[in-house]
Amino acid sequence: MNADQLLGLITGVLFGFLLQKGRVLRFEKQVGAMLLKDMTIFKFMLSAILVGMVGITLLTEAGFVTLSHKSMNLGAVLLGGALFGAGWSVMGYCPGTSVGALGEGRWHAVFAILGMVAGAALYAELYPFFKLTVIAWKDFGKIGLPEALSVSPWVIIPFFWAGTIFLFLWFERKGL
Amino acid sequence: MKWKTEDGGWSPYLAGSLVGLLAIASVYATTLWLGKTSYLGASTTFVRAAGLLERTVAPGRVEANEYFTKEKVRVDWQFMLVGGILIGALIASATDRSFKLESVPPTWEKRFGPSVGKRAAGAFLGGIVAMVGARLADGCPSGHGLSGMMQLSVSSFVALVMFFSVGVFIAALVYGRRSS
């Protein structure tokens, strides 16, 4: 095992441990959020984002790390996002949580994993077609919200924090 | 606020915040030791797994495929990260006794019955559609949802809104209104 693989493995074990402790790997939690009954996965995800965005912005401004935005390709993100949402609700897992769910004994996740491997192979076959159609439509490039709005990230982050905390308070009040 | 749930789990606010710290440590560590900033993600690994499997039966097809060439079929940092998630979840669930063998989840059973075959078909077909979508959108709830949002990426805000809004719509159609 090389250094890349070892670091990935250690990070993954910690990530999987925390995903399981937060109880977000389960089908019930994922579908529960989509049925607007249980917001556990949003509490978890948004908490991670609140902490992570501050640290990553600081590290980027200090020049220690570089940002790696994914392209704002309009057709690809809209259609891809919609397909993902549809598949996610039936499967009840996302790519990362499917393997974690298998780790905590929810063995039906195997079928989701096999389906996703098949889906990846299918995408590789469809890629030339998508490249000429959906992907070719309109690409705004790899942009961040600060550049798009011409403001410092430190203007956006407090608003994001305030909005998210307000949302958390609402979830708790509603018992979601 | 309680830091533990009744079944021995941790508050999602606590576990999520720790994932935020892990994400920060991870971008720093990958930059420092691997020379390239890597962000947490999962869905590209499924492309590499598909390529590795397909290579055993049709190596020429994988070599000639533009997408496999673009994403590089190999066991890399993210591949091991995804494998690590399984191990981490196993350790966490085995140590707090939340490990449970489950073939059909309750919400699914309420709507489609206890058939493992039906659940398998749903999970498999859902998996195909979701992964085509994730690769087209260039990310999943890890790559877009966590890593992209932490970087304030415009594409991730849009992707996350699409993931969830379509998810809510399809879930309402598929699972119907549950009796409360």
Side-chain angles (χ1 to χ4, degrees), chain B residues 107-133:
Chain B
T107 302
W108 179 278
E109 188 170 348
K110 218 183 256 177
R111 177 68 181 81
F112 297 104
S115 158
V116 177
K118 272 190 195 170
R119 173 62 196 136
F124 188 78
L125 295 173
I128 292 177
V129 174
M131 187 51 66
V132 169

PDB file of all heavy atoms in Angstrom, chain B residues 107-133:
ATOM      1  N   THR B 107     -39.465   1.070   6.387  1.00  0.00           N
ATOM      2  CA  THR B 107     -40.275   1.935   5.509  1.00  0.00           C
ATOM      3  C   THR B 107     -40.549   1.265   4.173  1.00  0.00           C
ATOM      4  O   THR B 107     -41.631   1.372   3.603  1.00  0.00           O
ATOM      5  CB  THR B 107     -39.556   3.282   5.275  1.00  0.00           C
ATOM      6  OG1 THR B 107     -39.333   3.899   6.535  1.00  0.00           O
ATOM      7  CG2 THR B 107     -40.370   4.230   4.400  1.00  0.00           C
ATOM      8  N   TRP B 108     -39.539   0.547   3.693  1.00  0.00           N
ATOM      9  CA  TRP B 108     -39.707  -0.181   2.433  1.00  0.00           C
ATOM     10  C   TRP B 108     -40.728  -1.297   2.613  1.00  0.00           C
ATOM     11  O   TRP B 108     -41.619  -1.497   1.780  1.00  0.00           O
ATOM     12  CB  TRP B 108     -38.355  -0.753   1.974  1.00  0.00           C
ATOM     13  CG  TRP B 108     -38.459  -1.529   0.691  1.00  0.00           C
ATOM     14  CD1 TRP B 108     -38.850  -2.831   0.561  1.00  0.00           C
ATOM     15  CD2 TRP B 108     -38.235  -1.042  -0.627  1.00  0.00           C
ATOM     16  NE1 TRP B 108     -38.868  -3.190  -0.766  1.00  0.00           N
ATOM     17  CE2 TRP B 108     -38.496  -2.100  -1.516  1.00  0.00           C
ATOM     18  CE3 TRP B 108     -37.839   0.198  -1.151  1.00  0.00           C
ATOM     19  CZ2 TRP B 108     -38.366  -1.968  -2.905  1.00  0.00           C
ATOM     20  CZ3 TRP B 108     -37.701   0.326  -2.524  1.00  0.00           C
ATOM     21  CH2 TRP B 108     -37.975  -0.756  -3.388  1.00  0.00           C
ATOM     22  N   GLU B 109     -40.607  -2.030   3.723  1.00  0.00           N
ATOM     23  CA  GLU B 109     -41.484  -3.171   3.981  1.00  0.00           C
ATOM     24  C   GLU B 109     -42.948  -2.741   4.092  1.00  0.00           C
ATOM     25  O   GLU B 109     -43.849  -3.425   3.603  1.00  0.00           O
ATOM     26  CB  GLU B 109     -41.042  -3.887   5.270  1.00  0.00           C
ATOM     27  CG  GLU B 109     -41.803  -5.189   5.478  1.00  0.00           C
ATOM     28  CD  GLU B 109     -41.237  -6.052   6.594  1.00  0.00           C
ATOM     29  OE1 GLU B 109     -40.119  -5.763   7.062  1.00  0.00           O
ATOM     30  OE2 GLU B 109     -41.927  -7.009   6.985  1.00  0.00           O
ATOM     31  N   LYS B 110     -43.171  -1.576   4.702  1.00  0.00           N
ATOM     32  CA  LYS B 110     -44.522  -1.055   4.867  1.00  0.00           C
ATOM     33  C   LYS B 110     -45.196  -0.826   3.515  1.00  0.00           C
ATOM     34  O   LYS B 110     -46.398  -0.962   3.361  1.00  0.00           O
ATOM     35  CB  LYS B 110     -44.443   0.280   5.625  1.00  0.00           C
ATOM     36  CG  LYS B 110     -45.578   0.473   6.611  1.00  0.00           C
ATOM     37  CD  LYS B 110     -45.469   1.837   7.260  1.00  0.00           C
ATOM     38  CE  LYS B 110     -44.948   1.770   8.687  1.00  0.00           C
ATOM     39  NZ  LYS B 110     -44.781   3.094   9.264  1.00  0.00           N
ATOM     40  N   ARG B 111     -44.393  -0.463   2.524  1.00  0.00           N
ATOM     41  CA  ARG B 111     -44.944  -0.130   1.211  1.00  0.00           C
ATOM     42  C   ARG B 111     -44.903  -1.308   0.239  1.00  0.00           C
ATOM     43  O   ARG B 111     -45.823  -1.527  -0.525  1.00  0.00           O
ATOM     44  CB  ARG B 111     -44.147   1.063   0.653  1.00  0.00           C
ATOM     45  CG  ARG B 111     -44.518   1.512  -0.732  1.00  0.00           C
ATOM     46  CD  ARG B 111     -45.918   2.132  -0.777  1.00  0.00           C
ATOM     47  NE  ARG B 111     -46.250   2.528  -2.128  1.00  0.00           N
ATOM     48  CZ  ARG B 111     -46.697   1.709  -3.069  1.00  0.00           C
ATOM     49  NH1 ARG B 111     -46.888   0.433  -2.768  1.00  0.00           N
ATOM     50  NH2 ARG B 111     -46.957   2.141  -4.279  1.00  0.00           N
ATOM     51  N   PHE B 112     -43.804  -2.085   0.278  1.00  0.00           N
ATOM     52  CA  PHE B 112     -43.617  -3.137  -0.729  1.00  0.00           C
ATOM     53  C   PHE B 112     -43.591  -4.559  -0.160  1.00  0.00           C
ATOM     54  O   PHE B 112     -43.393  -5.517  -0.905  1.00  0.00           O
ATOM     55  CB  PHE B 112     -42.310  -2.905  -1.510  1.00  0.00           C
ATOM     56  CG  PHE B 112     -42.307  -1.618  -2.298  1.00  0.00           C
ATOM     57  CD1 PHE B 112     -41.598  -0.512  -1.852  1.00  0.00           C
ATOM     58  CD2 PHE B 112     -43.033  -1.500  -3.479  1.00  0.00           C
ATOM     59  CE1 PHE B 112     -41.595   0.677  -2.570  1.00  0.00           C
ATOM     60  CE2 PHE B 112     -43.040  -0.310  -4.207  1.00  0.00           C
ATOM     61  CZ  PHE B 112     -42.322   0.781  -3.742  1.00  0.00           C
ATOM     62  N   GLY B 113     -43.755  -4.711   1.147  1.00  0.00           N
ATOM     63  CA  GLY B 113     -43.761  -6.042   1.741  1.00  0.00           C
ATOM     64  C   GLY B 113     -42.362  -6.562   2.027  1.00  0.00           C
ATOM     65  O   GLY B 113     -41.375  -5.895   1.735  1.00  0.00           O
ATOM     66  N   PRO B 114     -42.294  -7.766   2.634  1.00  0.00           N
ATOM     67  CA  PRO B 114     -41.004  -8.281   3.106  1.00  0.00           C
ATOM     68  C   PRO B 114     -40.131  -8.942   2.033  1.00  0.00           C
ATOM     69  O   PRO B 114     -39.080  -9.506   2.357  1.00  0.00           O
ATOM     70  CB  PRO B 114     -41.429  -9.299   4.173  1.00  0.00           C
ATOM     71  CG  PRO B 114     -42.758  -9.786   3.706  1.00  0.00           C
ATOM     72  CD  PRO B 114     -43.417  -8.643   2.981  1.00  0.00           C
ATOM     73  N   SER B 115     -40.542  -8.890   0.770  1.00  0.00           N
ATOM     74  CA  SER B 115     -39.777  -9.569  -0.279  1.00  0.00           C
ATOM     75  C   SER B 115     -38.376  -8.989  -0.469  1.00  0.00           C
ATOM     76  O   SER B 115     -38.219  -7.794  -0.738  1.00  0.00           O
ATOM     77  CB  SER B 115     -40.547  -9.488  -1.606  1.00  0.00           C
ATOM     78  OG  SER B 115     -39.665  -9.653  -2.691  1.00  0.00           O
ATOM     79  N   VAL B 116     -37.352  -9.848  -0.299  1.00  0.00           N
ATOM     80  CA  VAL B 116     -35.961  -9.411  -0.493  1.00  0.00           C
ATOM     81  C   VAL B 116     -35.713  -9.146  -1.976  1.00  0.00           C
ATOM     82  O   VAL B 116     -34.974  -8.247  -2.341  1.00  0.00           O
ATOM     83  CB  VAL B 116     -34.972 -10.471   0.051  1.00  0.00           C
ATOM     84  CG1 VAL B 116     -33.523 -10.055  -0.211  1.00  0.00           C
ATOM     85  CG2 VAL B 116     -35.181 -10.681   1.543  1.00  0.00           C
ATOM     86  N   GLY B 117     -36.372  -9.929  -2.831  1.00  0.00           N
ATOM     87  CA  GLY B 117     -36.207  -9.746  -4.274  1.00  0.00           C
ATOM     88  C   GLY B 117     -36.647  -8.366  -4.733  1.00  0.00           C
ATOM     89  O   GLY B 117     -35.964  -7.708  -5.515  1.00  0.00           O
ATOM     90  N   LYS B 118     -37.787  -7.895  -4.203  1.00  0.00           N
ATOM     91  CA  LYS B 118     -38.283  -6.566  -4.569  1.00  0.00           C
ATOM     92  C   LYS B 118     -37.328  -5.481  -4.090  1.00  0.00           C
ATOM     93  O   LYS B 118     -37.049  -4.515  -4.791  1.00  0.00           O
ATOM     94  CB  LYS B 118     -39.661  -6.319  -3.946  1.00  0.00           C
ATOM     95  CG  LYS B 118     -40.816  -6.795  -4.802  1.00  0.00           C
ATOM     96  CD  LYS B 118     -42.122  -6.266  -4.206  1.00  0.00           C
ATOM     97  CE  LYS B 118     -43.314  -7.000  -4.787  1.00  0.00           C
ATOM     98  NZ  LYS B 118     -44.544  -6.683  -4.066  1.00  0.00           N
ATOM     99  N   ARG B 119     -36.865  -5.649  -2.849  1.00  0.00           N
ATOM    100  CA  ARG B 119     -35.928  -4.665  -2.281  1.00  0.00           C
ATOM    101  C   ARG B 119     -34.635  -4.653  -3.104  1.00  0.00           C
ATOM    102  O   ARG B 119     -34.074  -3.598  -3.399  1.00  0.00           O
ATOM    103  CB  ARG B 119     -35.634  -4.999  -0.816  1.00  0.00           C
ATOM    104  CG  ARG B 119     -34.553  -4.151  -0.182  1.00  0.00           C
ATOM    105  CD  ARG B 119     -34.922  -2.669  -0.135  1.00  0.00           C
ATOM    106  NE  ARG B 119     -33.755  -1.835   0.122  1.00  0.00           N
ATOM    107  CZ  ARG B 119     -33.479  -0.691  -0.521  1.00  0.00           C
ATOM    108  NH1 ARG B 119     -34.274  -0.247  -1.452  1.00  0.00           N
ATOM    109  NH2 ARG B 119     -32.410  -0.005  -0.230  1.00  0.00           N
ATOM    110  N   ALA B 120     -34.165  -5.856  -3.474  1.00  0.00           N
ATOM    111  CA  ALA B 120     -32.930  -5.958  -4.266  1.00  0.00           C
ATOM    112  C   ALA B 120     -33.102  -5.251  -5.607  1.00  0.00           C
ATOM    113  O   ALA B 120     -32.233  -4.490  -6.036  1.00  0.00           O
ATOM    114  CB  ALA B 120     -32.560  -7.425  -4.482  1.00  0.00           C
ATOM    115  N   ALA B 121     -34.249  -5.468  -6.249  1.00  0.00           N
ATOM    116  CA  ALA B 121     -34.497  -4.846  -7.551  1.00  0.00           C
ATOM    117  C   ALA B 121     -34.564  -3.330  -7.419  1.00  0.00           C
ATOM    118  O   ALA B 121     -33.984  -2.593  -8.229  1.00  0.00           O
ATOM    119  CB  ALA B 121     -35.794  -5.391  -8.154  1.00  0.00           C
ATOM    120  N   GLY B 122     -35.254  -2.851  -6.379  1.00  0.00           N
ATOM    121  CA  GLY B 122     -35.361  -1.407  -6.154  1.00  0.00           C
ATOM    122  C   GLY B 122     -34.010  -0.773  -5.910  1.00  0.00           C
ATOM    123  O   GLY B 122     -33.677   0.275  -6.478  1.00  0.00           O
ATOM    124  N   ALA B 123     -33.214  -1.426  -5.041  1.00  0.00           N
ATOM    125  CA  ALA B 123     -31.898  -0.883  -4.703  1.00  0.00           C
ATOM    126  C   ALA B 123     -30.985  -0.890  -5.930  1.00  0.00           C
ATOM    127  O   ALA B 123     -30.251   0.067  -6.181  1.00  0.00           O
ATOM    128  CB  ALA B 123     -31.272  -1.690  -3.562  1.00  0.00           C
ATOM    129  N   PHE B 124     -31.056  -1.970  -6.711  1.00  0.00           N
ATOM    130  CA  PHE B 124     -30.186  -2.096  -7.890  1.00  0.00           C
ATOM    131  C   PHE B 124     -30.552  -1.051  -8.954  1.00  0.00           C
ATOM    132  O   PHE B 124     -29.690  -0.317  -9.441  1.00  0.00           O
ATOM    133  CB  PHE B 124     -30.293  -3.510  -8.468  1.00  0.00           C
ATOM    134  CG  PHE B 124     -29.310  -3.797  -9.563  1.00  0.00           C
ATOM    135  CD1 PHE B 124     -27.971  -4.080  -9.265  1.00  0.00           C
ATOM    136  CD2 PHE B 124     -29.697  -3.775 -10.889  1.00  0.00           C
ATOM    137  CE1 PHE B 124     -27.054  -4.337 -10.278  1.00  0.00           C
ATOM    138  CE2 PHE B 124     -28.782  -4.024 -11.914  1.00  0.00           C
ATOM    139  CZ  PHE B 124     -27.457  -4.305 -11.602  1.00  0.00           C
ATOM    140  N   LEU B 125     -31.843  -0.972  -9.282  1.00  0.00           N
ATOM    141  CA  LEU B 125     -32.264  -0.005 -10.308  1.00  0.00           C
ATOM    142  C   LEU B 125     -32.068   1.434  -9.837  1.00  0.00           C
ATOM    143  O   LEU B 125     -31.602   2.284 -10.602  1.00  0.00           O
ATOM    144  CB  LEU B 125     -33.731  -0.253 -10.704  1.00  0.00           C
ATOM    145  CG  LEU B 125     -33.979  -1.597 -11.394  1.00  0.00           C
ATOM    146  CD1 LEU B 125     -35.478  -1.823 -11.594  1.00  0.00           C
ATOM    147  CD2 LEU B 125     -33.252  -1.662 -12.746  1.00  0.00           C
ATOM    148  N   GLY B 126     -32.403   1.687  -8.577  1.00  0.00           N
ATOM    149  CA  GLY B 126     -32.167   3.017  -8.012  1.00  0.00           C
ATOM    150  C   GLY B 126     -30.686   3.369  -8.079  1.00  0.00           C
ATOM    151  O   GLY B 126     -30.312   4.507  -8.377  1.00  0.00           O
ATOM    152  N   GLY B 127     -29.850   2.373  -7.801  1.00  0.00           N
ATOM    153  CA  GLY B 127     -28.396   2.568  -7.838  1.00  0.00           C
ATOM    154  C   GLY B 127     -27.901   2.956  -9.217  1.00  0.00           C
ATOM    155  O   GLY B 127     -27.057   3.844  -9.365  1.00  0.00           O
ATOM    156  N   ILE B 128     -28.439   2.302 -10.233  1.00  0.00           N
ATOM    157  CA  ILE B 128     -28.035   2.617 -11.615  1.00  0.00           C
ATOM    158  C   ILE B 128     -28.376   4.077 -11.942  1.00  0.00           C
ATOM    159  O   ILE B 128     -27.524   4.852 -12.382  1.00  0.00           O
ATOM    160  CB  ILE B 128     -28.740   1.678 -12.632  1.00  0.00           C
ATOM    161  CG1 ILE B 128     -28.216   0.248 -12.485  1.00  0.00           C
ATOM    162  CG2 ILE B 128     -28.525   2.184 -14.074  1.00  0.00           C
ATOM    163  CD1 ILE B 128     -28.897  -0.758 -13.398  1.00  0.00           C
ATOM    164  N   VAL B 129     -29.627   4.453 -11.679  1.00  0.00           N
ATOM    165  CA  VAL B 129     -30.084   5.817 -12.003  1.00  0.00           C
ATOM    166  C   VAL B 129     -29.282   6.850 -11.199  1.00  0.00           C
ATOM    167  O   VAL B 129     -28.820   7.863 -11.747  1.00  0.00           O
ATOM    168  CB  VAL B 129     -31.598   5.957 -11.718  1.00  0.00           C
ATOM    169  CG1 VAL B 129     -32.056   7.398 -11.905  1.00  0.00           C
ATOM    170  CG2 VAL B 129     -32.401   5.018 -12.616  1.00  0.00           C
ATOM    171  N   ALA B 130     -29.110   6.583  -9.900  1.00  0.00           N
ATOM    172  CA  ALA B 130     -28.401   7.537  -9.042  1.00  0.00           C
ATOM    173  C   ALA B 130     -26.958   7.727  -9.497  1.00  0.00           C
ATOM    174  O   ALA B 130     -26.441   8.847  -9.505  1.00  0.00           O
ATOM    175  CB  ALA B 130     -28.439   7.071  -7.591  1.00  0.00           C
ATOM    176  N   MET B 131     -26.297   6.637  -9.878  1.00  0.00           N
ATOM    177  CA  MET B 131     -24.891   6.781 -10.246  1.00  0.00           C
ATOM    178  C   MET B 131     -24.722   7.473 -11.602  1.00  0.00           C
ATOM    179  O   MET B 131     -23.808   8.284 -11.768  1.00  0.00           O
ATOM    180  CB  MET B 131     -24.188   5.412 -10.232  1.00  0.00           C
ATOM    181  CG  MET B 131     -22.693   5.477 -10.442  1.00  0.00           C
ATOM    182  SD  MET B 131     -21.788   6.648  -9.371  1.00  0.00           S
ATOM    183  CE  MET B 131     -22.021   5.904  -7.772  1.00  0.00           C
ATOM    184  N   VAL B 132     -25.596   7.207 -12.542  1.00  0.00           N
ATOM    185  CA  VAL B 132     -25.540   7.953 -13.812  1.00  0.00           C
ATOM    186  C   VAL B 132     -25.702   9.450 -13.501  1.00  0.00           C
ATOM    187  O   VAL B 132     -24.952  10.289 -14.006  1.00  0.00           O
ATOM    188  CB  VAL B 132     -26.620   7.456 -14.810  1.00  0.00           C
ATOM    189  CG1 VAL B 132     -26.736   8.408 -16.002  1.00  0.00           C
ATOM    190  CG2 VAL B 132     -26.287   6.047 -15.301  1.00  0.00           C
ATOM    191  N   GLY B 133     -26.642   9.764 -12.608  1.00  0.00           N
ATOM    192  CA  GLY B 133     -26.859  11.156 -12.217  1.00  0.00           C
ATOM    193  C   GLY B 133     -25.660  11.765 -11.510  1.00  0.00           C
ATOM    194  O   GLY B 133     -25.248  12.887 -11.814  1.00  0.00           O
TER     195      GLY B 133
END
